[in-house]
Amino acid sequence: MNGEPRFCAVIPSYNHTNRIAGVIAAARRQQLPVFVIDDGNTGPQRAELALLHDPAAGVTVHRLDYNQGKGAAVLTGFALAGAAGFTHVVQIDADGQHDMAALPSLLALARQEPRALVTGLPQYDHTIPRGRAIGRWITHVWVWIETLSLEISDSMCGFRVYPLAAVQALLDRGEHIGRRMDFDTEIMVRLFWSGTSVRGAPVKVIYPPENTSNFDLLRDNLRIIAMHTRLALTMPLRLPALLARHWRATRSETRLHWAALPERGILFGMRFCAMVLRLLGPKFAGPLLNLVALYFYLTASQRRQTAKEYLARVFAAAGQARQPGFADGYRLFRNFAQRGLDVFSGWAGQGPPVEQGDLRDLLATGDKPRGAVIVVAHVGNVEVARSALPPALQRRLLVLVHTRHAENFNRLLSEFNPEAALNTLQVSEISPDTALQLAEHVESGGWVLIAGDRVPLSGQRVSWVPFLGHAAAFPQGPFILGALLRCPVHALFCRKLGAGYRLNAVTLAEEVVLPRGARQQALDIYVRRFVALLEQEVIATPYQWYNFFDFWADTNGSRPCSPPR
């Protein structure tokens, strides 16, 4: 694609005129010329749309003589945009369901990757009808089957940015594209088949009480069934290209810093956990998740390799003279999938039992509740324990999270229980303002939860200590934070035992002391205490540690190395 991208908006309208003026105004604030497609409206609505026609102000209303369907209206808009020299079209539904505040994010993504299809990732509130939610999830599953990929996490959002060159190539080949409510999904799948990548940005979606749906329950459902039948029957013809694309994607994965890992298998895996739990409940979701885990295990070559390397190390540390096999790696992936299901179940009030083991030091109160730094790791399932805590203890927790993956995880959890997303703080590094906020929390008796097995994004402030027989970098941050906040530091583990979990806490330091001139040595000692406990936990439960990256690489994740001398 040569030259600077040129964007415009296309808004198909049929029986929706009460909110369209606001949608147009939001598009114009982004300097987008707007094409409104009057899809055969009659009576007052036809007149209302006609009054919006003002080419000098960047708004063109184009009328179709009769209702041809959403897809036909959008394709008409594509033709008008292409003739006017635009390279990209922002498709926006006229009913005002989408939060137009997300438009700048979609445009920014499209400018960064002009060959990609950029789509809104709907974030629904309680107004979404249950039947509509179930229908959407069924379509999502079919799309994952038709594309052999989870790259398309939502194919039905009518808020997206199309690269017109890719769309025109589809039309030139004469590929079938649905003209009505089957349009959004079919064009996205066919663009994916043709090699167009898909990117997404979150967008809030509401279903206003007065909203009128154009969805014909019988006819449009039959159209969607016919569409998925077409796509499923056609998919085998695309199989060589899809497998080649998938192979290139998995082979291109490098040994990245943990925070730079792509969302493949993280966000989409979470979405699948949420979907099967919502539709089937925890009893029937497990077998489906086993299949999902097998899919990821077979296709995520780099993560499969790092899992194998980890298992080889933990087996050797446990004195087992054997190498991990296929079943070992799959068991680790399967347990990770089950972990996600348990978390969602827990926040939905259907979770496994969590036994409170030795928590005496952590729960000691004295005259007033004690604040503390609590160091956790990606072993077992501390998150399911958080869901099982009494509300008073949940409110004392403040969870530090570091990446967009954690943001997505909490957003999905909030669909099951709004309490799940409370008391989380997004940080990359501890700034003075953040430290002040944490100090106030601890002073009031709160607990700060921080991961002890993820090095900072900067790669600085780490201690190299032996872990499973080899030197690895661990963050000093939890103990620096403990010294700053002048509070105890505890380690917290939640181990899966049978059908439930057991929670245990161990005191790492009643007070963190970092002497001048010996600060690094003191931090190394504190880190070693935590790592010794983590190693015991991992050896005891080798299939419950979920760091799917090269943990023994350097702090940038680029290559295996020895600690600095």
Side-chain angles (χ1 to χ4, degrees):
M1 186 174 296
N2 298 320
E4 195 70 20
R6 295 187 61 208
F7 295 86
C8 70
V10 167
I11 306 176
S13 179
Y14 180 68
N15 287 341
H16 287 121
T17 56
N18 58 333
R19 294 173 177 267
I20 194 171
V23 175
I24 293 172
R28 293 297 298 136
R29 284 195 291 272
Q30 300 300 318
Q31 285 77 53
L32 292 176
V34 176
F35 293 94
V36 176
I37 310 301
D38 177 353
D39 190 18
N41 284 282
T42 59
Q45 292 176 324
R46 173 180 179 179
E48 290 170 12
L49 290 179
L51 290 174
L52 297 173
H53 182 70
D54 188 356
V59 181
T60 299
V61 177
H62 181 88
R63 175 168 172 76
L64 301 178
D65 291 333
Y66 61 94
N67 176 249
Q68 299 180 32
K70 176 182 180 178
V74 174
L75 290 171
T76 299
F78 287 168
L80 294 172
F86 293 101
T87 61
H88 291 73
V89 164
V90 183
Q91 174 193 334
I92 311 173
D93 287 348
D95 55 11
Q97 290 183 351
H98 300 106
D99 182 5
M100 295 300 290
L103 181 55
S105 298
L106 267 68
L107 291 172
L109 273 176
R111 291 188 176 99
Q112 291 171 12
E113 299 189 54
R115 289 183 172 83
L117 169 60
V118 177
T119 184
L121 301 176
Q123 312 300 313
Y124 295 103
D125 62 11
H126 65 281
T127 60
I128 182 172
R130 183 171 181 83
R132 186 73 59 88
I134 293 174
R136 294 182 70 90
W137 279 112
I138 292 173
T139 284
H140 298 342
V141 173
W142 272 109
V143 168
W144 297 339
I145 293 170
E146 291 152 4
T147 60
L148 296 182
S149 169
L150 299 179
E151 188 172 335
I152 299 176
S153 60
D154 190 296
S155 67
M156 302 181 73
C157 182
F159 190 32
R160 55 180 63 165
V161 185
Y162 290 93
L164 278 183
V167 173
Q168 190 58 51
L170 279 186
L171 299 175
D172 290 345
R173 291 196 298 270
E175 297 215 23
H176 186 284
I177 300 174
R179 268 21 183 201
R180 293 191 177 271
M181 291 298 184
D182 48 356
F183 168 79
D184 288 330
T185 295
E186 185 159 23
I187 193 171
M188 181 175 270
V189 169
R190 292 189 182 276
L191 284 171
F192 181 87
W193 282 353
S194 68
T196 302
S197 59
V198 178
R199 298 293 180 264
V203 55
K204 294 180 181 178
V205 182
I206 61 172
Y207 281 79
E210 73 280 6
N211 188 64
T212 301
S213 175
N214 289 324
F215 190 88
D216 186 301
L217 192 60
L218 176 60
R219 293 179 181 177
D220 283 322
N221 272 320
L222 289 175
R223 290 186 182 103
I224 289 172
I225 291 171
M227 172 198 67
H228 285 304
T229 302
R230 270 196 313 273
L231 295 175
L233 292 176
T234 308
M235 188 270 285
L237 301 176
R238 317 280 178 157
L239 199 55
L242 288 174
L243 292 176
R245 174 178 179 166
H246 191 72
W247 176 254
R248 289 192 299 270
T250 55
R251 296 302 295 175
S252 66
E253 289 181 356
T254 57
R255 294 175 181 263
L256 299 170
H257 186 286
W258 63 267
L261 284 171
E263 288 192 337
R264 181 186 183 279
I266 300 176
L267 174 59
F268 298 148
M270 295 177 207
R271 288 186 180 279
F272 194 87
C273 284
M275 183 271 291
V276 294
L277 178 62
R278 184 182 283 114
L279 293 182
L280 302 177
K283 180 178 180 180
F284 297 100
L288 280 180
L289 285 183
N290 290 342
L291 294 177
V292 174
L294 180 61
Y295 166 81
F296 280 113
Y297 184 60
L298 292 174
T299 59
S301 60
Q302 186 59 64
R303 297 180 194 186
R304 184 174 67 246
Q305 179 60 30
T306 55
K308 180 179 178 182
E309 292 169 1
Y310 152 69
L311 288 170
R313 294 181 194 273
V314 76
F315 289 164
Q320 300 180 31
R322 71 183 186 91
Q323 290 297 310
F326 180 93
D328 294 300
Y330 172 59
R331 182 177 175 184
L332 181 64
F333 274 63
R334 185 188 62 197
N335 284 358
F336 179 62
Q338 183 64 46
R339 173 188 179 274
L341 180 64
D342 287 344
V343 171
F344 284 109
S345 299
W347 284 109
Q350 310 171 55
V354 178
E355 176 189 351
Q356 293 189 9
D358 188 358
L359 302 179
R360 289 171 297 179
D361 291 343
L362 185 60
L363 296 176
T365 57
D367 295 333
K368 67 174 185 177
R370 298 180 67 192
V373 171
I374 300 177
V375 192
V376 297
H378 293 76
V379 60
N381 199 341
V382 170
E383 183 59 40
V384 79
R386 188 165 77 97
S387 72
L389 289 174
L393 293 183
Q394 287 182 5
R395 288 190 290 270
R396 289 179 64 181
L397 282 174
L398 179 63
V399 184
L400 302 188
V401 297
H402 300 278
T403 70
R404 64 187 184 277
H405 307 321
E407 288 181 306
N408 290 323
F409 185 72
N410 284 307
R411 187 172 63 242
L412 286 171
L413 282 180
S414 67
E415 296 179 10
F416 289 85
N417 187 335
E419 296 290 327
L422 297 180
N423 296 343
T424 61
L425 181 64
Q426 178 75 20
V427 296
S428 54
E429 301 288 345
I430 303 296
S431 67
D433 288 343
T434 304
L436 180 61
Q437 182 179 353
L438 297 178
E440 292 174 350
H441 183 73
V442 168
E443 181 64 26
S444 65
W447 297 330
V448 176
L449 212 67
I450 183 171
D453 59 347
R454 295 286 174 89
V455 298
L457 305 186
S458 65
Q460 305 300 313
R461 296 182 178 177
V462 300
S463 291
W464 285 88
V465 299
F467 178 58
L468 298 180
H470 301 267
F474 284 84
Q476 299 170 346
F479 303 99
I480 295 174
L481 193 58
L484 287 173
L485 301 181
R486 298 180 180 178
C487 66
V489 179
H490 306 279
L492 185 67
F493 300 103
C494 186
R495 181 186 300 186
K496 187 172 180 63
L497 296 172
Y501 289 86
R502 180 178 175 82
L503 191 62
N504 284 299
V506 179
T507 300
L508 297 171
E510 282 291 345
E511 180 183 1
V512 177
V513 179
L514 303 178
R516 285 188 178 182
R519 177 185 173 91
Q520 180 66 42
Q521 293 90 330
L523 285 168
D524 287 347
I525 291 172
Y526 288 123
V527 171
R528 283 175 183 267
R529 291 179 187 172
F530 172 74
V531 173
L533 293 172
L534 175 63
E535 186 171 79
Q536 292 176 14
E537 196 72 17
V538 167
I539 290 175
T541 59
Y543 300 103
Q544 294 185 38
W545 195 54
Y546 309 117
N547 275 318
F548 294 100
F549 59 93
D550 186 0
F551 197 82
W552 289 266
D554 65 15
T555 54
N556 291 320
S558 58
R559 58 183 175 82
C561 71
S562 299
R565 298 180 186 276

